[in-house]
Amino acid sequence: MARSDSEFNPDLLLAHKLPEVLDVAIYALGIGACGQDAVDSDELKFVYHENGQEHIQVLPTFVSLFSLGSLTDGLDLPGFKYDPSLLLHGQQYIEVYRPLPSKASLINKVSLAGLQDKGKAAILEIETRSYEQGSDELLCMNRTTVFLRGAGGFSNSSKPFSYKNYPSNQGLAVKIPQTQPSSALLYRLSGDYNPLHSDPNVAKLAGFPRPILHGLCTLGFAIKAIIKCICKGDPSAVKTISGRFLATVFPGETLITEMWLQGLRVIYQTKVKERNKAVLSGYVDIRGLSSSL
Ligand SMILES: CCCCCCCCCCCCC/C=C/C(=O)SCCNC(=O)CCNC(=O)[C@H](O)C(C)(C)COP(=O)(O)OP(=O)(O)OC[C@H]1O[C@@H](n2cnc3c(N)ncnc32)[C@H](O)[C@@H]1OP(=O)(O)O
C-alpha cells in the first residue's frame, strides 16, 4: 500500500469521543455476556448485581479500555505523520496487579514503549499504566500495538528502525461465543467510536467491504471463554493477557476459541467458524490452579 501523505481528517479525529465514565456492565454486554442466555449463572455477575453479591464483578479485559484514552492525544504526536484511516489494532498486552474495584477514579500514565519500521507499515506501541486516584500502587498496565499501514519506510540506514523498552518474552475447543451483527454498534458504547466499526463508507475507504469488529471486542470474547472454561468463572484468576490480531472479524461472525493449558499459562487461538480463519492468538497467565479454579 502506498504511503499516504494526507493531513489528519478533523471529522475522523472529532469522532474519537471518549466518555468520562466507563461502565463495566455495558462493556460486558458488548463482549457478549449473557448474549445467548440472559440468566447464565457464570455471566450474570458481570452485568447485574446478583443477590448476595455486593458489587458487579469486573472482567479483566475491561482494563483494555483505559488504553483508549491515549488515542485522541496520541493522534497528535510530534514527528509522526500517518493516515488514521489505515490504522489497525495489532496486539494487546495486559497485566492486572490487584483485584479490580467495581467503582474507581483512575490516573493513566502513558508512554511510548516501541516503534518499528516494517517497510509497508509502522508499528507503534503505547504503554498505559493505571493507578487509582490517590494511590501510588499500580492497578494494571496495557501495552497497545497499533499497525499503521502505509506509514513504514522511514528508516535512514539499511537496518530498519526498531525500538522496544520491554523484554521480548512478553509478547481445547470450547463453547462457541457468537458475535451479533450489532456487536460493533454495542461495543462502541464502551468508548471506541472509530467509524471504521460503524460506517460502511469509512470501512470501504480503509479497504474493507463493511465495518469490522473492534479488536478489543474479539479479545473480550476470547478471554471471557477462557475465564469460563479454565478459571471456573473467576475473573480475578487472570494475571496477564497477551493477544495478536491476525485477521479482521466482521460483526455477526462466530468465534471459536481453542485453548491449551501449559502449567499456569493458557495458550489460545480464536477462529472465525464461517471462514475457518484464525483471527487472534495469544496467552493468558493465571494466578494458580487452586481448588477454587
Ligand atoms: C499515533 C497513534 C497513537 C495511537 C494511540 C494508541 C491508543 C490505543 C489505540 C487502540 C486501537 C484503536 C483502534 C482500533 C482499531 C481496531 O480495532 S481494528 C480491528 C482489529 N484489528 C484487526 O482486525 C487487524 C487484524 N490483522 C491484520 O489484518 C493483519 O495481521 C495486519 C495487521 C494487516 C498485518 O498483516 P500483514 O500486512 O500481512 O503483515 P505480515 O506481512 O504478516 O507481517 C509484517 C510484519 O508485521 C508484523 N505483524 C504482523 N501482524 C502484526 C500484528 N497484528 N501486530 C503486530 N505486528 C504484526 C510481522 O511480525 C512482520 O514483522 P517481521 O516479522 O519483523 O517482518
Side-chain angles (χ1 to χ4, degrees):
M1 193 171 297
R3 185 170 179 187
S4 166
D5 285 327
S6 63
E7 294 296 333
F8 293 150
N9 178 333
D11 294 336
L12 275 179
L13 269 178
L14 290 173
H16 283 279
K17 287 186 214 120
L18 285 158
E20 281 179 17
V21 177
L22 298 168
D23 187 307
V24 296
I26 289 179
Y27 169 78
L29 290 167
I31 62 160
C34 292
Q36 317 292 317
D37 176 3
V39 292
D40 184 325
S41 57
D42 280 340
E43 301 195 341
L44 198 54
K45 61 189 174 212
F46 300 128
V47 299
Y48 175 73
H49 230 193
E50 283 184 280
N51 269 348
Q53 179 188 307
E54 210 177 326
H55 303 290
I56 281 186
Q57 290 193 28
V58 185
L59 283 154
T61 43
F62 178 74
V63 310
S64 63
L65 303 182
F66 308 159
S67 55
L68 290 171
S70 342
L71 188 61
T72 25
D73 297 342
L75 288 166
D76 203 13
L77 289 177
F80 202 73
K81 191 171 135 189
Y82 69 98
D83 182 345
S85 72
L86 298 180
L87 179 152
L88 285 174
H89 198 158
Q91 296 185 146
Q92 188 77 14
Y93 179 78
I94 300 170
E95 289 183 358
V96 181
Y97 306 112
R98 292 190 291 123
L100 295 171
S102 54
K103 193 174 178 188
S105 295
L106 297 176
I107 304 288
N108 290 326
K109 295 188 178 169
V110 184
S111 60
L112 187 68
L115 176 63
Q116 285 156 61
D117 185 353
K118 297 290 183 190
K120 62 181 175 181
I123 288 182
L124 190 69
E125 293 173 284
I126 311 284
E127 197 168 283
T128 307
R129 296 182 165 260
S130 304
Y131 301 79
E132 264 191 86
Q133 206 159 34
S135 161
D136 42 14
E137 260 187 276
L138 197 53
L139 181 63
C140 60
M141 184 272 280
N142 276 277
R143 201 174 294 121
T144 304
T145 306
V146 283
F147 194 94
L148 303 164
R149 293 174 292 162
F154 56 84
S155 307
N156 290 326
S157 66
S158 54
K159 194 164 177 263
F161 186 90
S162 180
Y163 164 77
K164 258 186 192 190
N165 74 356
Y166 60 90
S168 55
N169 61 352
Q170 290 180 357
L172 317 158
V174 295
K175 191 175 170 191
I176 299 173
Q178 182 156 17
T179 67
Q180 302 293 326
S182 60
S183 283
L185 298 174
L186 176 57
Y187 183 83
R188 71 194 285 278
L189 303 181
S190 283
D192 186 345
Y193 298 110
N194 185 342
L196 174 63
H197 308 293
S198 50
D199 187 320
N201 294 325
V202 172
K204 282 205 175 81
L205 278 178
F208 301 106
R210 58 194 171 98
I212 63 174
L213 194 61
H214 304 73
L216 290 180
C217 183
T218 308
L219 185 75
F221 266 88
I223 305 308
K224 186 161 62 64
I226 291 170
I227 291 170
K228 192 163 193 162
C229 296
I230 300 219
C231 306
K232 298 210 174 125
D234 177 8
S236 67
V238 172
K239 195 163 84 171
T240 306
I241 298 168
S242 179
R244 174 178 278 207
F245 304 109
L246 305 171
T248 43
V249 176
F250 297 101
E253 289 186 315
T254 309
L255 299 173
I256 298 181
T257 298
E258 298 172 303
M259 52 193 94
W260 299 267
L261 189 58
Q262 295 185 348
L264 291 179
R265 176 161 285 190
V266 183
I267 310 289
Y268 69 92
Q269 177 176 258
T270 303
K271 284 183 185 164
V272 163
K273 183 182 167 207
E274 290 81 359
R275 292 182 279 138
N276 190 28
K277 177 133 188 110
V279 291
L280 169 66
S281 70
Y283 64 83
V284 173
D285 286 335
I286 53 179
R287 291 185 203 282
L289 281 170
S290 67
S291 54
S292 62
L293 281 180

